[in-house]
Amino acid sequence: MTSDVGAQADKAYGLYLGGLRDGQWQGFHEVLADEVDLVWPYPPSAGHYTGADGRQKLMVFLDQFGDEGNRIVESEVLLRVIDGDRVIFEDHGKGTLFRRPYEGRHCIIFVMSDGRVAGFHEYTARVA
């Protein structure tokens, strides 16, 4: 079970990073469960959202990362931990955010259920 959860989360994480790089989110949207427990760190929409509303808000929030002014073009995974149905990725990313240079460390937790992302919790520390 653990290896399946890890492989499923790795696939979803790859689709997530692809969306951050090129703004193409369809693949990641397809691996989201119908209901998502979302913890979103970025104001003005920072907060905790659940259910179908959590899924919809995550899709809308991520779609903001698609134009050339909002892209994470480099990402290095620093840590990956599997704990039951949770897979934790700590990474370091660089790119642009609101058309300004961006560098940050992120902790992204996927809660997997039936091969899909049922939880997306992100915690961020901006470096530059």
Side-chain angles (χ1 to χ4, degrees):
M1 168 97 171
T2 298
S3 62
D4 290 343
V5 167
Q8 294 160 357
D10 288 345
K11 176 185 174 188
Y13 188 72
L15 293 167
Y16 170 73
L17 291 180
L20 290 174
R21 278 191 303 273
D22 63 19
Q24 302 300 310
W25 290 104
Q26 186 60 35
F28 186 73
H29 290 177
E30 290 173 2
V31 299
L32 293 176
D34 293 338
E35 296 187 355
V36 175
D37 183 70
L38 170 63
V39 175
W40 188 252
Y42 303 104
S45 302
H48 182 215
Y49 307 92
T50 60
D53 184 51
R55 181 183 198 276
Q56 183 62 37
K57 286 195 182 301
L58 178 58
M59 290 177 12
V60 168
F61 294 156
L62 291 179
D63 283 343
Q64 297 174 60
F65 294 92
D67 66 33
E68 293 178 15
N70 290 311
R71 293 211 176 146
I72 304 299
V73 295
E74 294 179 41
S75 186
E76 175 188 7
V77 175
L78 305 171
L79 176 72
R80 176 182 167 270
V81 175
I82 300 171
D83 183 18
D85 62 353
R86 294 173 185 265
V87 181
I88 303 162
F89 297 91
E90 179 185 356
D91 70 30
H92 176 246
K94 294 180 182 179
T96 58
L97 189 59
F98 305 112
R99 303 202 180 283
R100 298 179 134 166
Y102 172 83
E103 182 177 352
R105 290 181 67 131
H106 316 95
C107 179
I108 298 169
I109 302 167
F110 287 162
V111 180
M112 304 303 295
S113 178
D114 296 323
R116 303 184 77 159
V117 177
F120 182 100
H121 305 168
E122 182 172 350
Y123 306 94
T124 301
R126 188 170 186 147
V127 177

